[in-house]
Amino acid sequence: MRVLLVEDHKPLVRALKQGLEEEGFAVDVAADGEEGDFKARSADYDVIVLDLMLPKIDGLTLLRSWRRDGIKSFVLVLTARGGTDDKVLGLDAGADDYLTKPFELEELLARIRALIRRRHEVKSPIIRIYDLEINTASRVVKRGGKAIHLTPKEYALLEFLAYHCGKVVTRSMIWNHLYDENDENTSNVVDVYIRYLRNKIDKGFDPPLILTRWGEGYMLQAPE
């Protein structure tokens, strides 16, 4: 899943970017409000992590303008201002969640995962498709009760397919949600990771779950 981090404190940016990427997220970074506004309008982010006290354009102004203009990415506000009035202002401006600094990385990750489930209207952290089980909280994947080890990128691709279970997703959709702006891979890497996933998720199991729709894209088969 793709996250935009709009934050001007460089040490925090480095720590959050590393932590998010280790969890398999594609992360774009903006160091001020103008850059954050440009990037938020240029890509479809699953979650935007937004600091309120930014150079050039403050976070509340950004948030209000995004909602006014129909930008639907989920927004998690990060701020050092933890008063009730500040939280109310952020939530009323269109934030989906609010986290006060200082915070633990694990809490931020849990809140981002919860927002992604909300985006896809999935309430349980565990997704079950036939005998495939994906625990989006622990990132543990099993099929037929057998644990399957996936790399962060493989897991991210499987989770994306699972959130769109029964629907075809194009290569460009996968690319836009799983790779950040600095990734130098070509779009062919999507086909490579689909092959990796098939070898781990489908090989030796029945029925095959990862289907190709020629000329369209890929789909995770939904139970009838």
Side-chain angles (χ1 to χ4, degrees):
M1 300 298 163
R2 193 168 177 184
V3 174
L4 174 60
L5 176 59
V6 189
E7 167 66 61
D8 65 324
H9 186 57
K10 291 182 180 179
L12 180 58
V13 168
R14 286 194 296 269
L16 293 183
K17 189 172 190 296
Q18 180 179 344
L20 287 163
E21 289 177 340
E22 287 175 354
E23 287 293 303
F25 291 102
V27 184
D28 294 343
V29 173
D32 59 58
E34 284 186 359
E35 186 182 11
D37 191 38
F38 174 78
K39 291 185 176 180
R41 296 175 186 275
S42 302
D44 179 19
Y45 291 98
D46 295 284
V47 176
I48 299 173
V49 179
L50 176 67
D51 186 26
L52 290 188
M53 300 179 69
L54 293 167
K56 298 185 180 179
I57 306 174
D58 69 89
L60 276 180
T61 299
L62 280 180
L63 187 50
R64 291 185 180 117
S65 70
W66 293 342
R67 294 316 190 212
R68 184 186 63 242
D69 295 340
I71 293 175
K72 296 180 180 179
S73 297
F74 277 47
V75 176
L76 189 156
V77 165
L78 284 185
T79 182
R81 301 184 300 198
T84 300
D85 290 345
D86 294 314
K87 293 180 182 180
V88 169
L89 278 173
L91 294 170
D92 282 348
D96 299 283
D97 201 357
Y98 200 109
L99 191 57
T100 304
K101 300 175 183 177
F103 56 87
E104 296 294 332
L105 177 62
E106 284 304 315
E107 182 177 2
L108 174 67
L109 293 171
R111 287 173 180 265
I112 289 175
R113 290 192 295 263
L115 289 177
I116 291 171
R117 289 197 298 271
R118 279 176 56 190
R119 177 181 176 125
H120 295 285
E121 299 180 351
V122 174
K123 293 184 178 181
S124 172
I126 298 177
I127 301 173
R128 292 184 176 88
I129 303 162
Y130 288 94
D131 59 344
L132 175 68
E133 180 180 297
I134 305 166
N135 188 320
T136 61
S138 65
R139 304 170 68 83
V140 171
V141 175
K142 297 180 181 179
R143 183 148 191 207
K146 177 184 176 182
I148 298 172
H149 173 73
L150 299 178
T151 66
K153 194 63 73 177
E154 289 168 350
Y155 174 84
L157 175 55
L158 179 63
E159 185 182 80
F160 186 75
L161 292 171
Y163 278 133
H164 295 84
C165 186
K167 300 176 183 177
V168 175
V169 293
T170 65
R171 288 177 180 83
S172 62
M173 287 172 63
I174 294 172
W175 179 264
N176 288 335
H177 284 270
L178 268 63
Y179 295 90
D180 64 46
E181 60 191 350
N182 298 314
D183 200 294
E184 297 181 353
N185 285 305
T186 66
S187 59
N188 289 339
V189 76
V190 172
D191 303 307
V192 172
Y193 273 93
I194 287 287
R195 187 167 69 248
Y196 292 162
L197 262 190
R198 280 194 171 124
N199 284 334
K200 294 183 177 183
I201 298 298
D202 281 345
K203 192 173 182 179
F205 295 99
D206 190 63
L209 298 182
I210 301 172
L211 309 180
T212 300
R213 291 289 182 259
W214 296 108
E216 298 180 70
Y218 300 101
M219 181 176 77
L220 197 63
Q221 183 175 191
E224 297 179 358

